[in-house]
Structures are given as structure tokens and as C-alpha cells.
Amino acid sequence: YALAYKQLGDVYQNLGKKDDAIAAYKKCYEISDQNDDACYNLGYLYNGLGEYENALKWLNKAKLIKDKTDVNNEIGYAYYKLKKNDEAITAYQNALKFNEKNGTAYKGMGDVYRMNFNPAKVEDASTNYLKAIEYNPKSSGSYYGLGWCYNEKAKYEEAIPMLTKSIELDRTFAASYVELGYAQYMTGKYPEGLNTLKAGIAQDNKNKLCRYYSGLIYIKQGDKTNASNMYNELKPLDEKLADKLMAKINAM
């Protein structure tokens, strides 16, 4: 009874028992190789485990059975993580053929342009993040990506509301605190920046950049003692970045 194994896989997935879910979905496929949901869920789980080639094997099976938005989004994500940029963009564009208001696909393309190119294709990324926000205004990652792009273009005042919104939507998103604190530092909003970066450290106790930017703010405030404290905290985490901060402290 293939559907029973598929539903058992769903239960295990909801319980966070990934290995058991994978075994159940594979048993479903063994009995009925036309169950696209089992194939999709296997691809989704393997993406979550960082096994992107395995994910693609199952997602492509699902796509052959039933081509739809979610399958193409997951294929795009797997290719993005494998840094196969053309394939990722194509998959996300395929997802948009089924749903032109699919915010996930636009965010995915934004991530490809921002993360996988050196230098980042900031304009392309920004365009896609704006579309992602338009169709999915609850996407913390899209606001973060757009804020990052604005910081990259030195549009710090425009970055601040985007990054603030990202944190409102997901207070555990440590990278947003880094970018917001940096934007506040660059616009001279020093007390706000220190509060933001402190909150970022609370979310990620080993966050290097929050400490580095905090040190830079203390330097701007002429507070050598607290700048040195940031150096002491940073040194065990990133010696090179700590030395960079110390050079600025010594230049005070």
C-alpha cells in the first residue's frame, strides 16, 4: 500500500525524524514509482541535509511525473547550492511559468546573483528581491538580501528599513543584525548600531562581524576601553580580523 508509506513518511517528517521519513518515502516509490509527492519530499529532505546531488536525483523524478512550482523551486535551490548558476536560474524561471507570483523563485534568483557571483550581480539581485517581497512580504530572507544589496551600493539609509523588517520577521536571523549594525555605523547612528550588534551577538555568541563593527563604533566614539574589549572577544574567533581592529585602535 504505497500511499500508507507516503503518509507514514509525512508523519516522520513532521516529527523531525528525517531518516525514518526517507526510508518510508523510498518504500512508497519502490511500490509505486508514480508517486510524485514521495519523490519531491525525498528531494526536499536531501536538500535540507545538504546532499544536493541526491536531492536532484529525486526532484528530477518528481518533475517527470508532475512538473510544478515547488519541484522547480527545490531544483533551483539544489543547483544554487552546487553553484550551477545557469541551471539554478533556469529552474527558478520554470517555477515562475506555473506561478508568476511565486516569491520563492524570485528570492532564489536573488540569492544566486548575490551569493554565487564574484563580484555579486547587485542590480540583478535587487530586482529579484523586490519582486520576492512584492509577492511574499513575510520573507525575512528577501528583506535581508535587499538590505545587503543596498549596503553594497552604499545606500545605507535605504538598507536600514529593509534590514529592520527582516529582523521583525525573524529575530533569530543573525546576519540581519550584522548588516543593520553596519548600516547604522555608516550613517553615524552609533547608539542604535551598538544595540543592534549587541542583539546580534545574543543570537549568535560567536558572531565575528558584530564584534568588529561594535569595535569600530567605539573607536568613533573615542571609547578605547570598550573597543579593546571587542578586540579581546574577537581575537579567539578571528585573529586576522582582530588584528585589523587593533590597528585602528592603536591609531586612535
Side-chain angles (χ1 to χ4, degrees):
Y1 187 18
L3 185 57
Y5 283 107
K6 185 268 173 187
Q7 292 174 333
L8 182 61
D10 292 345
V11 173
Y12 282 134
Q13 189 172 354
N14 289 337
L15 291 171
K17 296 183 176 181
K18 295 181 180 180
D19 290 342
D20 291 330
I22 286 170
Y25 289 135
K26 285 183 176 179
K27 187 67 176 178
C28 170
Y29 181 78
E30 180 184 320
I31 297 167
S32 172
D33 63 4
Q34 292 303 300
N35 191 303
D36 61 299
D37 287 334
C39 295
Y40 168 79
N41 288 337
L42 281 164
Y44 176 85
L45 285 166
Y46 279 125
N47 264 346
L49 293 168
E51 296 182 29
Y52 306 116
E53 295 288 0
N54 256 341
L56 285 169
K57 180 181 78 172
W58 289 103
L59 291 166
N60 283 322
K61 289 179 187 292
K63 183 179 171 72
L64 285 173
I65 300 166
K66 188 174 182 180
D67 201 4
K68 55 186 179 180
T69 301
D70 291 346
V71 171
N72 285 288
N73 279 339
E74 285 297 317
I75 290 172
Y77 179 77
Y79 279 129
Y80 154 64
K81 297 300 286 187
L82 291 168
K83 297 190 182 299
K84 294 184 177 181
N85 301 328
D86 291 342
E87 292 90 338
I89 296 297
T90 297
Y92 286 127
Q93 289 174 338
N94 286 338
L96 290 170
K97 291 176 183 177
F98 295 96
N99 178 8
E100 64 182 12
K101 296 182 178 181
N102 175 19
T104 300
Y106 284 113
K107 178 190 177 292
M109 287 190 286
D111 289 343
V112 172
Y113 289 125
R114 180 174 66 87
M115 295 293 293
N116 283 5
F117 287 88
N118 188 17
K121 293 191 174 184
V122 177
E123 292 299 333
D124 290 324
S126 298
T127 299
N128 280 285
Y129 286 133
L130 284 166
K131 280 285 188 182
I133 289 167
E134 178 182 352
Y135 297 129
N136 183 10
K138 299 293 186 181
S139 172
S140 175
S142 298
Y143 284 102
Y144 166 76
L146 186 57
W148 186 98
C149 289
Y150 284 145
N151 272 348
E152 192 71 8
K153 293 189 286 186
K155 295 183 176 180
Y156 306 114
E157 292 290 358
E158 293 178 51
I160 287 171
M162 296 299 104
L163 296 162
T164 300
K165 184 66 175 178
S166 175
I167 292 169
E168 286 176 6
L169 291 167
D170 182 359
R171 297 194 177 277
T172 68
F173 198 166
S176 291
Y177 292 94
V178 172
E179 289 296 319
L180 178 57
Y182 174 71
Q184 290 166 329
Y185 160 66
M186 293 301 292
T187 53
K189 298 177 175 65
Y190 299 141
E192 296 93 329
L194 287 173
N195 286 335
T196 296
L197 296 165
K198 182 179 179 181
I201 293 171
Q203 294 299 329
D204 175 10
N205 190 47
K206 294 184 178 181
N207 194 296
K208 298 177 287 187
L209 287 174
C210 279
R211 289 177 169 85
Y212 178 70
Y213 292 137
S214 293
L216 295 183
I217 291 176
Y218 285 128
I219 290 168
K220 286 289 187 181
Q221 293 179 325
D223 187 344
K224 193 169 186 176
T225 299
N226 276 317
S228 298
N229 288 340
M230 286 298 107
Y231 164 80
N232 291 331
E233 290 185 21
L234 182 57
K235 192 170 179 63
L237 302 174
D238 188 325
E239 190 169 350
K240 288 184 178 179
L241 195 59
D243 290 343
K244 187 177 176 181
L245 178 60
M246 180 52 71
K248 294 179 182 295
I249 293 170
N250 289 334
M252 289 177 68

